[in-house]
Amino acid sequence: MSETETESKHGPPIPVIKESYVNFKKEVRLWTSITNVDAEKQAGTLLLKLPEKAKSVALDMSIDDLQKGKTVTIDGQPKQLTGVDCLLEMLDKIYMDDLAKEKFNAYDSFRKLTRKNKQSIKDYVLDFEKLVKRLQDHEINLPSPVLAYELLRSANVSEYKYSVAVAIVGDLTYENMKDTLKRITELEEPVSVKSEDDNVEKKSFDIKVKTEPEENMYYSSFDEYNDDPTESDSS
């Protein structure tokens, strides 16, 4: 029976370490929940698929730890680790440098995100949330107000729309900012015009102000100025 046929018999393929150690750990957790391999044999099955460097270190682990796991104390409370838990605990030490690099790269990619020209807000938010999920996989959990700020900062909107978003968002939460970005998408920009006097660019807004006609204003002022108090006395 071939190796592929053996893996098929026991369910889904056995996870192997590729580019991302974090993804490998996620695949292992998923695999242990759906595989047909007996619990006591899972760690050993994974071990045999490890790269040579990691495998040589893992082979020094006790058979009992790999098969039955062990009990550890965390925050004063006993916790039972499975054989797979013990194996991953050992692998964490080997791939610690890789984990640090992956964490740095995850945050670096998040900070460098900028909405592309003509990219819809919907697609931009999807890209943003993928990077947030990547941060969370590395146990980087940013507060909601920080996520709200970063969502707007990277949205590549005009200064006018940026100001409107800040003004109408209300409580600075991620969900509020996401809704606000969708609301300002169709917002029309004010028209730029130039003053004939000082050639300075100004923003033109369609604001209607009700004023008194100039003619009435003139005569009203003229009558008040020429009001003769003697005529009032004689009457």
Side-chain angles (χ1 to χ4, degrees), residues 107 132-144 146-147:
Y107 191 76
V132 171
K133 180 62 172 64
R134 187 179 169 192
L135 290 179
Q136 293 171 344
D137 288 342
H138 289 280
E139 300 181 350
I140 302 176
N141 299 301
L142 299 178
S144 182
V146 174
L147 291 176

Side-chain angles (χ1 to χ4, degrees), residues 14-74:
I14 301 167
V16 294
I17 299 176
K18 298 177 182 177
E19 295 181 359
S20 172
Y21 176 64
V22 171
N23 286 343
F24 166 75
K25 291 180 68 174
K26 291 165 63 177
E27 290 175 5
V28 167
R29 295 302 184 192
L30 177 61
W31 177 78
T32 57
S33 68
I34 59 178
T35 185
N36 297 327
V37 177
D38 293 339
E40 290 191 359
K41 296 180 180 179
Q42 290 178 3
T45 301
L46 290 168
L47 186 155
L48 295 176
K49 286 288 186 177
L50 293 175
E52 287 303 320
K53 175 185 176 181
K55 184 190 297 184
S56 62
V57 177
L59 285 172
D60 289 334
M61 297 178 63
S62 71
I63 298 298
D64 280 347
D65 284 354
L66 289 171
Q67 291 183 343
K68 301 177 182 179
K70 62 183 179 181
T71 302
V72 297
T73 302
I74 300 178

Side-chain angles (χ1 to χ4, degrees), residues 50-101:
L50 293 175
E52 287 303 320
K53 175 185 176 181
K55 184 190 297 184
S56 62
V57 177
L59 285 172
D60 289 334
M61 297 178 63
S62 71
I63 298 298
D64 280 347
D65 284 354
L66 289 171
Q67 291 183 343
K68 301 177 182 179
K70 62 183 179 181
T71 302
V72 297
T73 302
I74 300 178
D75 296 330
Q77 299 294 325
K79 180 179 179 180
Q80 180 63 37
L81 300 182
T82 66
V84 172
D85 291 331
C86 295
L87 179 63
L88 291 177
E89 186 179 59
M90 183 276 300
L91 291 177
D92 284 347
K93 299 174 183 178
I94 297 176
Y95 290 96
M96 191 63 69
D97 289 342
D98 290 343
L99 282 172
K101 291 177 182 177

Side-chain angles (χ1 to χ4, degrees), residues 101-154:
K101 291 177 182 177
E102 286 186 34
K103 182 178 288 191
F104 177 86
N105 290 335
Y107 191 76
D108 189 53
S109 297
F110 173 75
R111 286 288 296 169
K112 288 180 178 177
L113 175 67
T114 301
R115 184 168 70 96
K116 306 176 185 68
N117 291 332
K118 298 184 179 179
Q119 183 183 26
S120 69
I121 291 295
K122 180 180 179 181
D123 289 342
Y124 160 67
V125 170
L126 287 176
D127 288 345
F128 184 89
E129 291 183 344
K130 285 179 183 177
L131 293 179
V132 171
K133 180 62 172 64
R134 187 179 169 192
L135 290 179
Q136 293 171 344
D137 288 342
H138 289 280
E139 300 181 350
I140 302 176
N141 299 301
L142 299 178
S144 182
V146 174
L147 291 176
Y149 169 79
E150 293 293 345
L151 184 68
L152 179 59
R153 182 188 66 82
S154 304

